[in-house]
Amino acid sequence: MKNFYFSFDEDDIKYKKVAIHLKAMINNHELIHGEKLPTIREYSKLLGVNTSTIINAYELLQNEGYAYKKMGSGTYVKKEEQKNYILKEYSNTYKKLTRGNLENFIDFTGETTSSEFFPVDTFKKVLNEVLDRDKEDAFIYQDALGYKGLRKSINKHFWNNKMEIDDILVVSGAQQGIDIITKAIINVNDNVVIEKPSYSGAMNVFKWRKANIIEIDMKKDGIQVEELEKILQKNRIKCFYTMPYFQNPTGVTYSFEKKKRILELAEIYDFYIIEDDYLSDISYDNRVEFKSLKSMDTKDRVIYIKSFSKIFLPGIRIGYVIPPQKYSDKIQTFKINTDITTSSLMQRALDIYIRKGLWKQHIKNLNLEYKKRYEFLIKECNNLLKDKVQIYDTYGGLSLFLKIQRKDVNCIKLFEYCKDNNVLITPGMLYYLNSDDGMQYFKIGFSKVDTKAIHQGLMVINNLLKESE
């Protein structure tokens, strides 16, 4: 039962005191967005005041952005203040972590593999080999497309020499890839289709370009293709941004049939597909067969992005883009205008690392280690959070996207409670254009936590959800 009751002091301006009390409940997440406030008659009777006091209090809440009125229905909590607050809190918390306070928290926000699995000694030998071989040349700027040796290795080891090496553009990570592609192909008011939910970094870039963003709901095997086709029949679409394997944040992998149909629709309706190969390397089940949209593309409709940072070493900031011929020169130009070239030394080192089979072995080791954590996390979620959250097996990736089953707890309340208990989660609202749609979701990443920390962190989540029963 929500504590709407309080007493007045003699000097209180009553309607302002009512508004202050309700604002405190909203800011403390005792009241969540969309929740109906007591009727004017009910609340005036509870507090022993005139109905005009409640009317004035509710009007004040509306004017300050804390409430909205539905004609004939009542007054409801509005989320804008909560959303701004949680975005600021999430950002500030993350900044503090990057300053070295991570040891005080169980961090479920990790997006990259743990440094404990990075083969430092091996990579040190590779760096020394580069310096011994290339000397000062290891530090000079390369071809604008990137170090030729690395592009050759990418083509050979990841594409079976089916690409032209001049079609491969080395970039400083996937985010830069998204940025330069967006600058090259998207103009103001262009229509862009994205998955719902989707990666917030891409959404922010599309917003910055002032594109019209259209979301399509994710299902267990990808977006609703029928919904995509309906949108295409009514709108001129410039591109579709997708993560077909272990999508961020849902972990969903597309079916072969859906990928095939999306490629057919791209040709029929003349749009391009931005394929962000997020974490296809991290797979725990043979049932997930990797076949990228780019490898299936016979009409040159796919712009492929791959980052090595997420699963190798975030600090090296290396990835690559394979654009269609139509946009190749334009994308290259925007890359040059952005930063001229990506680290020469690291490109050369990564080239050797791939050519010697060290990358392949590194991925194998990661899959073995993270499969243990993934299976432990699934088991613990089923044990501790059963019936409290909705759980989906993803069979890969480094996180789980969970739906809170209890209506009296949303991701804001859970985020605050966890933070106060030294646990960090990612609120689901950050992955939606309309944060209302993500209020019951949260993401927990397991790349930075061992099994002991997973158990402890889930216990904290369970404590809040149990209290809400």
Side-chain angles (χ1 to χ4, degrees):
M1 180 68 182
K2 300 287 171 62
N3 185 22
F4 287 104
Y5 178 79
F6 63 95
S7 59
F8 296 94
D9 294 330
E10 187 175 334
D11 296 329
D12 284 337
I13 300 175
K14 291 186 177 180
Y15 82 93
K16 288 186 177 181
K17 186 69 177 290
V18 174
I20 289 169
H21 180 73
L22 291 174
K23 282 195 290 186
M25 292 180 73
I26 293 169
N27 287 332
N28 291 331
H29 316 303
E30 296 172 55
L31 295 171
I32 63 176
H33 174 73
E35 188 168 351
K36 187 176 180 179
L37 295 174
T39 66
I40 293 169
R41 187 176 300 278
E42 288 172 345
Y43 208 13
S44 63
K45 186 176 180 180
L46 176 66
L47 297 180
V49 297
N50 294 329
T51 55
S52 60
T53 299
I54 306 303
I55 292 171
N56 290 334
Y58 283 0
E59 286 181 353
L60 181 59
L61 289 176
Q62 292 173 61
N63 292 336
E64 294 184 1
Y66 280 85
Y68 64 97
K69 183 182 289 185
K70 288 184 181 179
M71 294 303 295
S73 178
T75 303
Y76 295 78
V77 175
K78 194 174 182 181
K79 74 166 186 313
E80 272 72 7
E81 293 297 326
Q82 295 185 78
K83 181 179 180 181
N84 294 338
Y85 172 76
I86 201 67
L87 288 172
K88 184 178 178 181
E89 280 293 292
Y90 185 76
S91 176
N92 288 341
T93 300
Y94 196 78
K95 286 176 183 175
K96 289 176 184 177
L97 287 180
T98 59
R99 293 181 187 140
N101 298 323
L102 185 59
E103 66 273 7
N104 299 323
F105 290 85
I106 294 172
D107 182 16
F108 283 139
T109 66
E111 297 278 357
T112 58
T113 55
S114 175
S115 58
E116 68 181 286
F117 299 133
F118 183 71
V120 175
D121 291 338
T122 302
F123 196 66
K124 189 188 301 181
K125 291 176 183 177
V126 169
L127 285 173
N128 288 335
E129 184 175 340
V130 170
L131 294 172
D132 289 342
R133 183 192 68 187
D134 299 342
K135 298 180 173 54
E136 66 274 5
D137 288 345
F139 300 97
I140 64 172
Y141 286 147
Q142 303 299 322
D143 184 315
L145 294 176
Y147 177 55
K148 192 171 184 178
L150 176 58
R151 288 185 286 124
K152 283 182 176 180
S153 290
I154 289 170
N155 189 28
K156 179 180 178 180
H157 294 276
F158 299 110
W159 297 95
N160 294 319
N161 288 321
K162 291 179 181 177
M163 299 293 171
E164 297 293 332
I165 64 167
D166 287 345
D167 291 336
I168 298 171
L169 172 65
V170 178
V171 294
S172 300
Q175 187 64 40
Q176 186 189 64
I178 295 168
D179 183 61
I180 62 175
I181 289 165
T182 303
K183 288 176 181 175
I185 73 172
I186 297 175
N187 298 310
V188 174
N189 291 327
D190 277 346
N191 294 319
V192 176
V193 174
I194 66 172
E195 298 153 338
K196 181 182 179 181
S198 186
Y199 170 51
S200 58
M203 283 195 289
N204 290 336
V205 173
F206 299 145
K207 287 178 184 177
W208 175 76
R209 291 296 289 176
K210 294 182 170 56
N212 300 318
I213 304 174
I214 303 169
E215 296 175 301
I216 300 181
D217 285 326
M218 289 289 284
K219 298 300 181 182
K220 290 185 178 180
D221 61 347
I223 60 164
Q224 292 180 311
V225 176
E226 297 79 12
E227 183 64 23
L228 173 61
E229 192 159 8
K230 288 178 184 177
I231 290 169
L232 293 167
Q233 290 167 354
K234 297 178 181 178
N235 304 275
R236 174 77 176 88
I237 301 300
K238 178 60 73 72
C239 66
F240 166 47
Y241 171 77
T242 180
M243 292 179 169
Y245 284 88
F246 313 126
Q247 190 253 9
N248 185 13
T250 65
V252 164
T253 292
Y254 278 63
S255 66
F256 176 82
E257 292 74 18
K258 282 196 173 180
K259 287 186 290 186
K260 183 180 177 183
R261 183 56 181 160
I262 290 168
L263 286 167
E264 291 170 351
L265 292 173
E267 182 64 14
I268 294 169
Y269 292 96
D270 188 25
F271 67 91
Y272 286 83
I273 301 166
I274 302 175
E275 179 181 18
D276 188 347
D277 185 358
Y278 175 56
L279 283 176
S280 63
D281 308 84
I282 307 299
S283 179
Y284 313 126
D285 197 303
N286 293 332
R287 284 176 288 183
V288 182
E289 180 185 359
F290 178 69
K291 194 170 183 62
S292 66
L293 282 161
K294 188 66 178 178
S295 68
M296 298 168 62
D297 180 21
T298 60
K299 303 295 184 180
D300 209 22
R301 287 282 169 185
V302 177
I303 307 169
Y304 180 85
I305 308 171
K306 177 69 176 178
S307 174
F308 294 104
S309 303
K310 295 287 186 187
I311 50 180
F312 190 48
L313 187 64
I316 70 169
R317 306 303 304 157
I318 294 179
Y320 67 96
V321 172
I322 305 178
Q325 284 298 315
K326 179 178 179 178
Y327 290 110
S328 184
D329 289 343
K330 202 171 183 182
I331 289 173
Q332 290 175 24
T333 298
F334 276 105
K335 167 64 169 93
I336 294 168
N337 290 341
T338 300
D339 67 357
I340 302 178
T341 189
T342 301
S343 169
S344 173
L345 174 62
M346 289 303 177
Q347 286 188 64
R348 292 166 185 258
L350 184 57
D351 166 42
I352 292 177
Y353 203 83
I354 293 171
R355 282 196 289 108
K356 288 191 169 184
L358 299 172
W359 169 267
K360 188 175 181 180
Q361 184 60 47
H362 179 62
I363 295 301
K364 183 179 179 181
N365 294 339
L366 286 179
N367 278 300
L368 289 172
E369 292 296 331
Y370 280 117
K371 183 178 181 179
K372 297 174 188 174
R373 295 191 188 187
Y374 170 78
E375 290 177 344
F376 181 82
L377 175 60
I378 291 290
K379 184 182 74 173
E380 288 292 279
C381 282
N382 285 322
N383 288 338
L384 295 172
L385 305 181
K386 187 177 181 181
D387 300 326
K388 300 181 182 74
V389 298
Q390 195 171 357
I391 304 166
Y392 297 103
D393 283 354
T394 61
Y395 307 112
L398 295 172
S399 63
L400 286 181
F401 199 54
L402 305 173
K403 183 177 183 180
I404 304 166
Q405 297 294 79
R406 304 199 172 280
K407 300 303 181 185
D408 56 340
V409 177
N410 64 14
C411 66
I412 296 176
K413 186 173 183 178
L414 183 61
F415 171 78
E416 285 289 342
Y417 179 86
C418 287
K419 181 167 70 72
D420 290 343
N421 288 276
N422 289 359
V423 175
L424 294 172
I425 62 165
T426 304
M429 60 184 285
L430 301 180
Y431 299 99
Y432 292 82
L433 283 179
N434 180 355
S435 58
D436 285 1
D437 298 327
M439 293 298 281
Q440 293 307 118
Y441 295 89
F442 67 102
K443 188 171 82 168
I444 50 177
F446 53 92
S447 66
K448 304 290 188 182
V449 286
D450 58 21
T451 54
K452 180 181 178 182
I454 288 173
H455 175 77
Q456 292 173 339
L458 292 182
M459 284 294 292
V460 170
I461 295 171
N462 177 59
N463 287 340
L464 174 63
L465 298 180
K466 185 171 60 177
E467 287 173 7
S468 304
E469 291 181 353

